[in-house]
């Protein structure tokens, strides 16, 4: 499943990011803790260069703690710090300012040496659609300056936000990249970063069952009361449908209904915390 999708506003956003990097001290990149690799935009990676960066592993409560900790160990280096957060509840966000101060300590010290005691820290917020950028900014600003939506592509224009932590944040629209390989496409679709409208949702649900069967079979059995678990993902999906009453006239499975239900429950963590990606090598970046 390869997807080619690069709307015009995403091209514009890429140019804006590049043009505005000189205005900020650091970049805050938000990723989905469940799909840390797939929610890394290689376009952003190229644009940022050696700019100091904080990676927020957002929705960390939806992922397995042990996996998220492993990602943190792999991703951190001299120019990058990693924080586990939840931008909806605010969990972990109190560590952001100290992390930025640590990351920028040499620059802040140079300012103090020049007599500038109070240095405003400016940071650009970047990330793919639907990873929680607007929720993060709203929580930091303690109001609803930025628009929030559960659909990709809600934020469209650049905007500066002052926070009560004395930070200035430059918001940018979420951007995807021109081509996705199959695994990345599926991970983005599973978590809602790609609009359901452009996917075959029934096939997507089938692939999710297939994926969860490898590492989270017990979660599926427990959540849906499955008495038998098959090697065939389609059979498992059909059994889930019957257990949940997703049946149409004649006793046939309502595949669309069970697909919507399954994806909603996965995205809402009704099966418990699930990580779809593990770090494989050092320095994932």
């Amino acid at each position: 499943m390869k997807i080619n999708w690069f709307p015009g506003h995403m091209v514009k956003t890429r140019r804006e990011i590049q043009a505005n990097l000189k205005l900020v001290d650091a970049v805050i990149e938000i990723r989905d803790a469940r799909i840390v690799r797939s929610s890394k935009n290689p376009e952003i990676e190229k644009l940022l260069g050696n700019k100091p960066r904080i990676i927020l592993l957002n929705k960390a409560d939806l992922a397995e703690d042990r996996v998220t900790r492993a990602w943190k160990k792999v991703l951190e280096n001299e120019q990058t710090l990693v924080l586990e957060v939840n931008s909806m509840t605010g969990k972990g966000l109190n560590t952001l300012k100290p992390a930025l101060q640590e990351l920028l300590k040499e620059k802040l010290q140079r300012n103090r040496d020049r007599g500038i005691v109070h240095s405003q820290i400016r940071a650009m917020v970047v990330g793919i659609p639907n990873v929680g950028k607007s929720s993060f900014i709203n929580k930091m600003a303690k109001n609803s300056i930025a628009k929030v939506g559960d659909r990709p592509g809600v934020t469209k224009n650049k905007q500066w936000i002052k926070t009560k932590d004395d930070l200035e944040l430059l918001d940018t629209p979420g951007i995807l990249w021109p081509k996705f390989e199959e695994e990345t496409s599926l991970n983005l679709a599973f978590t809602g970063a790609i609009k359901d409208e452009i996917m075959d949702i029934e096939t997507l649900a089938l692939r999710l069952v297939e994926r969860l069967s490898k590492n989270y079979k017990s979660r599926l059995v427990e959540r849906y009361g499955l008495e038998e678990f098959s090697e065939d993902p389609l059979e498992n999906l059909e059994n889930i449908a019957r257990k949940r009453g997703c049946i149409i006239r004649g006793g046939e499975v309502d595949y669309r209904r069970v697909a919507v239900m399954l994806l909603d429950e996965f995205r809402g963590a009704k099966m418990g915390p699930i990580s779809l990606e593990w770090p494989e090598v050092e320095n994932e970046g």
Side-chain angles (χ1 to χ4, degrees), residues 26-225:
V27 171
I28 298 169
E29 179 189 359
I30 302 182
R31 300 192 197 178
D32 188 319
R34 297 167 295 178
I35 53 167
V36 176
R37 188 181 298 109
S38 292
S39 58
K40 176 186 85 169
N41 189 331
E43 294 287 324
I44 289 176
E45 197 78 16
K46 295 172 189 174
L47 293 174
L48 299 188
N50 293 322
K51 201 78 174 179
R53 175 171 51 157
I54 300 281
I55 297 178
L56 300 184
L57 298 183
N58 192 32
K59 307 180 185 180
D61 53 317
L62 304 184
E64 285 199 74
D65 288 341
R66 62 187 178 94
V67 180
T68 305
R69 287 195 299 269
W71 276 113
K72 178 178 170 69
K73 184 177 180 181
V74 166
L75 294 173
E76 285 195 329
N77 56 49
E78 290 183 0
Q79 289 291 103
T80 303
L81 294 178
V82 179
L83 305 177
E84 302 171 34
V85 305
N86 182 314
S87 61
M88 291 296 291
T89 65
K91 184 178 180 181
L93 294 182
N94 62 324
T95 62
L96 177 60
K97 185 175 180 180
L100 282 167
Q101 290 173 328
E102 173 64 22
L103 199 61
L104 300 169
K105 61 183 178 183
E106 292 182 4
K107 179 176 182 176
L108 296 176
Q109 184 59 53
R110 287 196 299 270
N111 287 346
R112 285 192 289 270
D113 292 343
R114 296 201 306 266
I116 305 173
V117 178
H118 181 75
S119 297
Q120 186 88 27
I121 295 178
R122 307 183 95 191
M124 179 186 293
V125 184
V126 300
I128 68 170
N130 215 32
V131 290
K133 287 194 304 91
S134 295
S135 297
F136 159 71
I137 288 175
N138 288 345
K139 185 60 72 171
M140 292 297 294
K142 302 295 191 296
N143 57 39
S144 294
I145 293 173
K147 296 177 182 177
V148 177
D150 59 1
R151 305 297 289 276
V154 172
T155 308
K156 294 293 169 69
N157 298 309
K158 179 182 73 175
Q159 48 186 330
W160 283 98
I161 294 94
K162 280 192 174 183
T163 77
K164 293 184 179 179
D165 288 332
D166 208 22
L167 304 175
E168 285 192 15
L169 304 177
L170 175 59
D171 190 20
T172 57
I175 61 171
L176 291 171
W177 52 105
K179 295 180 181 178
F180 312 103
E181 295 304 319
E182 181 174 17
E183 183 177 354
T184 299
S185 300
L186 288 171
N187 287 335
L188 293 172
F190 291 151
T191 56
I194 296 176
K195 296 178 181 179
D196 287 339
E197 288 85 346
I198 71 169
M199 307 295 295
D200 179 343
I201 196 169
E202 295 168 16
T203 300
L204 186 61
L206 180 62
R207 297 301 296 273
L208 179 59
V209 169
E210 182 179 36
R211 180 74 66 84
L212 295 179
S213 298
K214 294 178 180 178
N215 297 303
Y216 297 99
K217 179 170 72 173
S218 61
R219 303 276 188 92
L220 290 173
V221 170
E222 182 179 351
R223 178 68 186 172
Y224 300 107

Side-chain angles (χ1 to χ4, degrees), residues 223-224 244 261-271:
R223 178 68 186 172
Y224 300 107
R244 285 301 181 89
M261 180 275 298
L262 185 73
L263 288 165
D264 282 349
E265 295 206 348
F266 166 74
R267 293 167 183 169
K270 298 294 177 61
M271 304 175 205

Side-chain angles (χ1 to χ4, degrees), residues 235-246:
E235 189 174 334
N236 291 325
L237 182 64
E238 290 173 344
N239 287 336
I240 290 171
R242 293 187 181 95
K243 285 290 185 178
R244 285 301 181 89
C246 299

